[in-house]
Amino acid sequence: MTLDPGYFDAMYAESADPWGFATRWYERRKYDLSLALLPRPRYGDAFEPGCSIGVLTARLAVRCDRLLACDGAESAVEQARWRAPGARVERRVMPRDWPAGRFDLIVLSELLYYFDDADLARILELTAASLRPGGTVLAVHWRHPVAEYPRSGDEVHAALADLPLTTAATHCEADFRADVLVAGDPPSPAAAEGLV
Ligand SMILES: C[S@@+](CC[C@H](N)C(=O)[O-])C[C@H]1O[C@@H](n2cnc3c(N)ncnc32)[C@H](O)[C@@H]1O
C-alpha cells in the first residue's frame, strides 16, 4: 500500500524537520553531490514533488527559471514557502495531483519508495511523459531498508532504469544512490562549453 498522507502529517506534528534536512551534514553533503551531478548550470521549468520543508527546493530554485514544488503535508508546504521564496509551492498529493505541462527538470528525491506498485508505475509514466526533449530527471534515494516503506531505494532506481531515458550520471555509495536520466542523447558538459 502507498503510505497514507497522514503518516507524514504525524511526522511533521512531532518535529518541524523530522529528517534533519536543515541541520545534518549528511543531508547537506548529499544535496551538494546530487546537484553537482546535474549536467546543466540552469534549467527552465522544473518540478519537485515531495519537497518536504524546502531545503533542496531553495537550492534548486536558484538554478531554475520556474520551479513548481509540492508536498502532500500542509505543514511541509508552509515551511517550504518560507524557505524557498523563489519557488511556487503547492499542496499536491502524488500521483493524483500531478501537474499539467512539460518540464526541463524533474527532481524525485527521497520520495518514490513510499508508493505501491500501481502508484509507482503511474508516477514513472507521468515523469517520462512530462519531460521536454532533452529534459532531465534527478532521482536520489536512501539505500538502507526501512520497515514501513513498500520498497527499497535500490528497487526504486531499478524501476527508473526501465524508463525510456538515458542514464547521464550515477553516484552510488553505502547510504544513498543518485541517478541523472535524460530524454535523448547523454549530455556532455564539456562539449557544451566547446572543450571537445
Ligand atoms: C523524505 S521527504 C522528501 C524530502 C525532499 N524531497 C528532499 O530530498 O529534501 C518525503 C516527503 O514526501 C512527501 N510525500 C509523501 N508521499 C507523498 C505523496 N503521495 N504526495 C506528495 N508528497 C508526498 C512527505 O510529506 C514528505 O514531506
Side-chain angles (χ1 to χ4, degrees):
M1 291 282 283
T2 293
L3 283 187
D4 187 82
Y7 173 90
F8 299 97
D9 288 332
M11 290 187 80
Y12 288 112
E14 282 279 314
S15 164
D17 182 5
W19 291 275
F21 292 137
T23 54
R24 287 189 202 277
W25 157 246
Y26 167 80
E27 298 295 345
R28 183 151 54 94
R29 174 178 175 273
K30 182 190 67 178
Y31 293 144
D32 288 344
L33 287 164
S34 304
L35 291 166
L37 291 178
L38 287 174
R40 285 159 48 184
R42 287 201 64 77
Y43 292 84
D45 290 290
F47 176 48
E48 185 202 8
C51 67
S52 184
I53 62 172
V55 180
L56 178 58
T57 313
R59 295 188 58 175
L60 284 168
V62 299
R63 288 179 63 178
C64 301
D65 295 339
R66 290 162 296 280
L67 172 59
L68 171 62
C70 72
D71 202 279
E74 186 57 42
S75 155
V77 168
E78 284 169 16
Q79 290 192 69
R81 280 189 184 131
W82 166 80
R83 194 169 267 114
R88 194 168 98 232
V89 185
E90 299 180 351
R91 180 172 182 274
R92 290 173 181 260
V93 175
M94 299 294 116
R96 185 187 73 198
D97 304 327
W98 190 273
R102 311 280 295 278
F103 299 97
D104 303 296
L105 174 66
I106 298 176
V107 176
L108 304 166
S109 174
E110 314 287 7
L111 178 68
L112 295 184
Y113 25 50
Y114 301 134
F115 299 98
D116 65 18
D117 290 354
D119 282 347
L120 177 64
R122 180 74 182 130
I123 288 174
L124 295 182
E125 178 188 20
L126 288 163
T127 297
S130 303
L131 285 176
R132 290 196 176 120
T136 300
V137 175
L138 171 63
V140 187
H141 292 88
W142 176 249
R143 299 188 64 217
H144 301 284
V146 182
E148 308 92 79
Y149 297 178
R151 72 193 73 249
S152 69
D154 282 356
E155 287 167 344
V156 164
H157 284 250
L160 282 159
D162 288 337
L163 286 175
L165 302 173
T166 307
T167 300
T170 295
H171 175 88
C172 189
E173 57 181 70
D175 300 322
F176 75 94
R177 179 182 176 114
D179 281 296
V180 174
L181 309 166
V182 297
D185 295 331
S188 164
E193 294 204 305
L195 295 173
V196 286

